[in-house]
Amino acid sequence: MEKRAVYATRHEDSRGRYYDEAPSATRTPFQRDRDRVIHSTAFRRLKQKTQVFVAHEGDHFRTRLTHSLEVAQIARSIARTLGLDEDLAEALALAHDLGHPPFGHAGEDQLDECMAEYEGFDHNAQTLRIVTKLEVRYPNYDGLNLTWELLEGLVKHNGPVVGPDTPFESLPAAFRGFPYLKDLEPEQFAGPEAQVAALSDDIAYNNHDIDDGIAAGLFTIDELMDLPIVGDEFRAVRIEYPHLNDRMVCYEAVRRLIGLWINDLTGETMRRIKEYNPQSAAAVRAMDVPLVAFSPELESRQRALRAFLYERMYKHYKVNRMRSKAKRMLKDLFDIFLNEPDTLPSPWRMDASQATEAKRARIVCDYIAGMTDGFAMDEYRRLYDPEALR
């Protein structure tokens, strides 16, 4: 076993689960959390949920599932280097996108718009709702009964959720509806493993979006050459391997870029460890700044990459067409299910038919948010395509 740092989360000191269970004879609490996430229905559905491209557009583009696996691999590597609990970092990485609806951020934007009169929709809050309520796999409780540390990390991996500008009352409904949210210390940072998982997400999507964008023909390697860091690595690969085709150049450059991002993060985090000298995971949570971070230089230079990807990929007309189509489909599905709850399948139909309008809207939202891209398109066809009657 790797030696754990003093500031690491210790599974022996876990604050436990909200429903008491006998410990496992073969797994730590965080290994058990990871396994519960992997065996969940919500996790399997990620294989056909959009990352940037709709899942059916190509077998080689990232989906939410393959993205989550890449985040988990990066998180484990960083956690090992920093002496943190690798299993907790991995579990957080695997679970972080469970709440995403079909069609990526287009789906999230549309569901939030549909739910505007019913306290909105937020994919991070939906993740908490899934792991504490909607996954029904165990006879003695709803949800997955994950550890305090995993729930805390899922809620706060992007930083404190309660502060001077964000009172408790302003939080998404799914956060406020969780009866133990204040126990998760929402005004503090998350533990170090959750901070690692959050920035591993950034490393993964920054770099695999380069790969997917080139593969999809949205931009070329030559158009990346003026970007800080990215252009340098692509140029170095071309110089070192002048006979490689563009596909192989991309693979090698992205591999190097991931390593560069990881090395920067671990270097800056080790610098902060020396500066702040936290003596426990609790001390990490109580800090005024995150312990895990990129260097100011990399943080500044990667803004150009994010701006490039935003303009040339996320806002590309091909992606915009998909977004437009996806939003129309989800709006129509939401409207028909809300106004005609008898069109819902069991057991959703029974619950929605007997609910108030606001509660029915949340039931419909949960149903749609759980759909894969393909299932949402099939539901739309079944409900709106006259040909489906034949």
Side-chain angles (χ1 to χ4, degrees), residues 150-162:
L150 195 72
L151 293 179
E152 183 242 8
L154 290 176
V155 169
K156 303 189 304 188
H157 62 275
N158 289 324
V161 295
V162 171

Side-chain angles (χ1 to χ4, degrees), residues 269-324:
T269 301
M270 292 302 297
R271 187 193 69 75
R272 292 185 179 212
I273 289 166
K274 290 180 182 178
E275 178 179 354
Y276 295 102
N277 195 29
Q279 294 300 298
S280 65
V284 172
R285 295 186 181 96
M287 289 172 56
D288 294 330
V289 296
L291 179 69
V292 182
F294 297 118
S295 69
E297 180 184 7
L298 181 68
E299 193 67 71
S300 173
R301 297 177 77 185
Q302 71 178 343
R303 291 194 194 109
L305 171 61
R306 289 171 175 163
F308 177 89
L309 290 173
Y310 181 83
E311 185 61 34
R312 298 300 304 276
M313 187 172 186
Y314 312 142
K315 290 300 181 182
H316 193 281
Y317 82 90
K318 293 180 181 178
V319 176
N320 282 340
R321 286 182 177 184
M322 180 279 291
R323 285 176 55 88
S324 177

Side-chain angles (χ1 to χ4, degrees), residues 80-117:
R80 183 181 300 117
T81 300
L82 296 176
L84 301 175
D85 190 294
E86 294 178 39
D87 299 313
L88 178 56
E90 180 184 30
L92 285 159
L94 292 172
H96 82 283
D97 268 353
L98 292 180
H100 262 290
F103 308 121
H105 290 289
E108 179 171 16
D109 292 345
Q110 185 57 57
L111 278 185
D112 190 39
E113 185 178 318
C114 289
M115 291 292 292
E117 297 181 19

Side-chain angles (χ1 to χ4, degrees), residues 33-51:
D33 282 348
R34 176 201 58 208
D35 297 348
R36 289 184 177 191
V37 169
I38 289 174
H39 286 280
S40 68
T41 301
F43 184 74
R44 291 196 297 279
R45 287 174 177 162
L46 296 179
K47 70 180 181 179
Q48 284 197 346
K49 288 197 175 189
T50 295
Q51 180 65 25

